[in-house]
Amino acid sequence: MQTICKRFEELTTRELYEILKTRVDVFVVEQTCPYPEIDEYDLTSWHFYIVEDNKIASYCRIIPPGIRFQEASIGRVLATKRREGYASLLLKEAIQKINKDYKNCNIKIEAQTYAKSLYEKLGFVQCSEEFLEDDIPHIQMIRKGDQ
């Protein structure tokens, strides 16, 4: 198992292909969500993923503060190996990176509502009413910096 964290411009063509293919497989095909998966935030994000057996087991991206929200943000969280702790492990590492790189910075996310308990275990607190994004129920959550 290997954790990789790279800025967009550091990704090889092959890495970018694997990331985008995995995201489309999960967020567009599996969730039957025919909405644009690739957006302008990819260009300014840190792409964080775990590789096991030469495949992406888990992925997320970190959006620096001041780009999407005033706070740093973590998004596009997925695990291709489910119920094995990969998403939690990667999220913990992403939170550590944010705390290291952006001292005392809050983290704001838009989470699919069904995953609320996963984020609560990591210190996130719901800070919005439920809303639809791409026809999927979401909530905003926040985690205080250096918690």
Side-chain angles (χ1 to χ4, degrees), residues 23 41 60 69 74 81 86 100 121-122 126-127 146:
R23 284 177 25 188
Y41 299 117
C60 71
F69 301 115
I74 301 172
K81 292 189 167 203
Y86 286 96
K100 178 180 169 253
K121 290 175 188 171
L122 297 168
Q126 183 173 342
C127 63
D146 289 322

Side-chain angles (χ1 to χ4, degrees), residues 98-131:
I98 290 169
N99 286 338
K100 178 180 169 253
D101 290 359
Y102 310 109
K103 302 282 186 248
N104 204 28
C105 183
N106 293 342
I107 304 170
K108 188 172 190 176
I109 62 172
E110 290 186 343
Q112 290 186 12
T113 304
Y114 83 89
K116 178 181 176 182
S117 64
L118 166 70
Y119 295 106
E120 287 176 331
K121 290 175 188 171
L122 297 168
F124 287 89
V125 177
Q126 183 173 342
C127 63
S128 78
E129 297 296 317
E130 188 175 281
F131 60 94

